[in-house]
Amino acid sequence: MIEVSASGSDVTTGSGQLTLSEPLLVLLGRLSSAPAVDPAVSALVDQAVAVLRRPGFDTLLSLPQLTFEPFDYQRETAATVLRRMRGRAILADEVGLGKTIEAGLVAAELRLRGLADRTLVITPAGLVEQWRDELERKFGLPTALLSGKDTIPDGTTQRPVLLASLATARRDPLRSQLTSVSWDLVVADEAHRLRSARSASGKLIRALTTRFLLLLTATPVENRLQDLYEMISLVAPGLLGTPAQFRARHTTTGGDVGSPRNLAELRASTRQVMVRHRRSEVALRLPQRLAETVLVTPDASERALYADLAERIRVEAKEAPAGRRLALRSVARLAGSTPAAAAPTLDKLGWTDLGAAAAAISDPAKTRLLTVKLAEHVARGEKVLVFTAFRQTLELVAASARSAGIGAVVYHGGLPRAEKERVIGAFRDDAPVLLSTESAGEGRNLQFCHVMINLDLPWNPMQIEQRLGRLHRIGQTHDVLLTNLVSRGSIEERILHILETKINMFELVVGELDMIIGRIDEDFDFEQTVFDAFTSTEDDVAFARRMDEIGDRLAAARTIYLADRNNVDALVGKDDE
């Protein structure tokens, strides 16, 4: 109990009498005449004080919650984006340096501070699952996938990060939903696809309303200096002036990206919103990839089956509707794995004679050679990851390994989550061999293994790279040995030939392949192109010539990619370089 005297100069408390200073007397007088405190207002004050007590962005609050240790340059990037760039930035590191990690750090930090309850990630379709896995496993962020039929969740307590493929997001009905929401944070991966204001993708990103915006691309500028203007204007409108002012200040005749005017000034402006690290700067070096291709001569029964199948596919595909062509392409891929994998689909196509012939081949040449290879690696104490695209092949190989006394565990997408964890644990701690379909180890730490065998090859080279990326990634301490088992005379042999001879695929850093293929055409479908080449040629000689032409397109795209990379370095490099 506190009592104030009539004069206001003395206060009686439970422990005696105090003489107060004038400022404190004034404050006490105001308090005594003030209305009762509103609990709701008091709670808001408490929240404001809590926010004010949080450290600035020099201190990342999210680090203790991560399941990995970011590199110093990744932490510094996140702090720079949050502190100096105010959450609107272009992350332009060279491929393979972890732009996804940097974006995840920014997203996690903003969410912890209550600044990004509504977060949207837009990415090419092939990277959606990778983003989901990274955000959930490494950052502990809940996610939800949006399809064209979904309604954007609202008011959920979990506040998931919403993921959408670019192809789906730019079409209604999802586009209309996305553009009607005020977002806290939007992250756009492979953002060079959004540059053009005239494209559907470019129109989408410009129609979104968001406080914070991250654009991820290793090549923010490609053919024209105007590319850089478009990209920077997305995150910082007005920074480079109007289009006319930019052209007058920085572009030469023709807009040549290689010789801009007032380069030092342009670099200074660019660095206000863009972060770029090069591999040489961060001293991040992965072990070597040691790739070998083993051509396997199929048995006579296998050669006969493949020849008959190829002829039927070529004949029927010429007049087949889209659905039938898709089935024909599928059976061609299955045949490149093992006859057992192709047998059920051959029966469904109505080619029961070929189906019976395929089912009768229970021990194909590739499977026998695989067993020999596994035994050699296991004898040296090495763990081996074996990939196949198909469950039927997986079962055949598992039975063969067991018959040879090789300890192997099996992993595929149909396993329950708990069983997947058990299998990966068994491979790490005990079993020398993991036999897996494409889903193996996504986001998992498999760097304790450094030997990989492809029993079959996807026609999509991005999937080949994704397989290799399970082992050849940050944290790997050994050179990675990759063996591709390929049947002579197969479509896979021609695919691998052009990937190796035209672009040196297995010498590329993970992520560079996508940059190369993307320069052929935004909608270029490698697998479809290969199948079209196969079905439109009369024999394997003509098919080989057509594949060489595709390879030449890849080689040209690689040259363009390397030139673009050098141009970006010149525009974002240090002034004294």
Side-chain angles (χ1 to χ4, degrees), residues 68-85:
F68 71 104
E69 182 66 28
F71 289 103
D72 289 343
Y73 73 89
Q74 293 171 335
R75 292 195 296 267
E76 291 165 3
T77 294
T80 297
V81 168
L82 291 164
R83 184 181 66 252
R84 181 162 62 82
M85 300 178 178

Side-chain angles (χ1 to χ4, degrees), residues 10 42 203 212 214 239-240 244 255 293 300 323-324 337 376 434 564:
D10 295 324
S42 180
K203 290 177 181 177
F212 305 114
L214 299 179
L239 176 63
L240 297 178
T293 295
R324 182 70 172 182
S337 179
E376 292 173 352
L434 176 65
D564 290 342

Side-chain angles (χ1 to χ4, degrees), residues 342-355:
T345 303
L346 288 169
D347 289 337
K348 290 179 182 177
L349 286 171
W351 298 344
T352 54
D353 57 330
L354 295 183

Side-chain angles (χ1 to χ4, degrees), residues 488-539:
R488 293 182 186 276
S490 65
I491 295 175
E492 290 75 17
E493 181 185 4
R494 299 312 313 172
I495 290 174
L496 197 57
H497 173 73
I498 67 167
L499 292 176
E500 289 183 318
T501 61
K502 300 295 186 177
I503 61 172
N504 300 319
M505 174 178 171
F506 296 110
E507 296 179 15
L508 298 174
V509 174
V510 171
E512 286 189 307
L513 181 61
D514 186 44
M515 305 300 294
I516 292 170
I517 292 177
R519 275 157 181 73
I520 295 178
D521 186 278
E522 182 174 341
D523 298 319
F524 177 73
D525 186 326
F526 187 92
E527 183 174 336
Q528 181 64 54
T529 302
V530 168
F531 186 68
D532 290 345
F534 178 73
T535 56
S536 63
T537 51
E538 296 300 323
D539 54 37

Side-chain angles (χ1 to χ4, degrees), residues 123-131 165-166 193 460 462-463 466:
T123 179
L127 299 177
V128 170
E129 285 296 336
Q130 179 180 321
W131 266 93
S165 74
L166 178 58
R193 304 185 183 193
N460 181 348
M462 293 301 300
Q463 291 181 330
Q466 288 164 9

